[in-house]
Amino acid sequence: MSNARNIASIAGEDVLNASNEIVPVYACRAWVNFNGTDAFSPNPSTSAIRDYGNVSSIFQNGTGEYTVNFEIPMPDANYVLTSSSNDSNSDRGFHVITIDYDESGVGTAPSTTSVKIINRVASSQTFSSTPLDCLNAMVAIFR
Amino acid sequence: MKLAIFPNEETISVLVPAPNCGLTLEQICAKDVPTGVKYKIIDSSELPADREFRNAWDYDFTNSYDGVGV
């Protein structure tokens, strides 16, 4: 609970649960909404980053592989990443973003300054382990 | 739009700066590009138009770079 911020101390109002108990609030520490497809191609009309909070840049490391860099580092690397993504086809196919790291140590472990992610197709009919660019990548970090 | 590229395993990474974040592109590159890795600032128009072989993109940073990640 050491990192919890109680809204009561911020806005002068209590946040109550169903039992009328004051509950801690854990704010989003970083977030970004970006285009992982043609925004990285020549002459994009706008930045690939549509909007963000506490993000200094993103890398496109290869097809469907990205790194989100934090402007202000996290207190440690034990944060939670939640995300949403889809492709640019008319079916708006469901994708899934995961961190690029496994228990054998392959990949890049999340750090206090950045997190590397991979986007893959995960529709009901198709799953592909091959990384794929996504039109809408939305990532949020909680700690 | 200005971007930065740097070597990443067998391909190159493209750095897209967060717009209006209060840091210059050079400051972002110094902070976010991996330590000791050379980077080159380019215009987005210099990127290949064909993304079919995206993971085969290559660039010779030996004598052509604008800084090194700190």
Side-chain angles (χ1 to χ4, degrees):
Chain A
M1 297 288 181
S2 61
N3 287 312
R5 299 188 68 191
N6 192 317
I7 286 292
S9 65
I10 299 173
E13 298 178 1
D14 291 340
V15 175
L16 305 177
N17 64 12
S19 302
N20 284 331
E21 299 166 329
I22 295 177
V23 294
V25 174
Y26 298 90
C28 176
R29 300 252 180 163
W31 61 273
V32 63
N33 177 337
F34 67 93
N35 182 336
T37 58
D38 58 356
F40 291 93
S41 295
N43 297 315
S45 57
T46 59
S47 171
I49 300 176
R50 298 187 180 96
D51 214 340
Y52 64 95
N54 192 29
V55 167
S56 57
S57 69
I58 54 175
F59 300 157
Q60 203 227 23
N61 304 303
T63 302
E65 300 184 17
Y66 314 95
T67 299
V68 177
N69 296 293
F70 309 128
E71 185 172 356
I72 298 173
M74 299 296 140
D76 57 44
N78 296 326
Y79 46 79
V80 168
L81 179 148
T82 184
S83 64
S84 177
S85 62
N86 71 334
D87 64 31
S88 55
N89 297 329
S90 59
D91 63 357
R92 297 176 294 282
F94 177 67
H95 289 203
V96 62
I97 286 176
T98 63
I99 61 170
D100 176 30
Y101 190 63
D102 64 30
E103 63 181 2
S104 62
V106 175
T108 304
S111 74
T112 58
T113 57
S114 66
V115 61
K116 187 175 179 183
I117 56 177
I118 298 179
N119 180 71
R120 295 183 174 92
V121 176
S123 71
S124 59
Q125 298 177 338
T126 304
F127 175 82
S128 172
S129 61
T130 303
L132 189 69
D133 291 339
C134 54
L135 176 65
N136 297 300
M138 305 174 186
V139 175
I141 304 292
F142 291 86
R143 176 68 178 87
Chain B
M1 190 178 86
K2 294 295 184 184
L3 307 170
I5 57 173
F6 59 91
N8 172 29
E9 298 179 353
E10 300 301 316
T11 182
I12 65 170
S13 287
V14 179
L15 179 153
V16 180
N20 306 314
C21 78
L23 299 174
T24 66
L25 179 55
E26 290 77 9
Q27 290 172 321
I28 292 172
C29 288
K31 182 178 83 67
D32 292 344
V33 172
T35 303
V37 174
K38 296 174 180 176
Y39 64 83
K40 174 75 174 176
I41 294 174
I42 64 168
D43 191 86
S44 56
S45 63
E46 298 178 65
L47 289 175
D50 185 354
R51 292 183 55 79
E52 184 174 359
F53 300 103
R54 166 61 182 87
N55 292 348
W57 286 3
D58 194 15
Y59 185 84
D60 185 0
F61 293 87
T62 307
N63 297 310
S64 178
Y65 61 98
D66 295 309
V68 177
V70 178

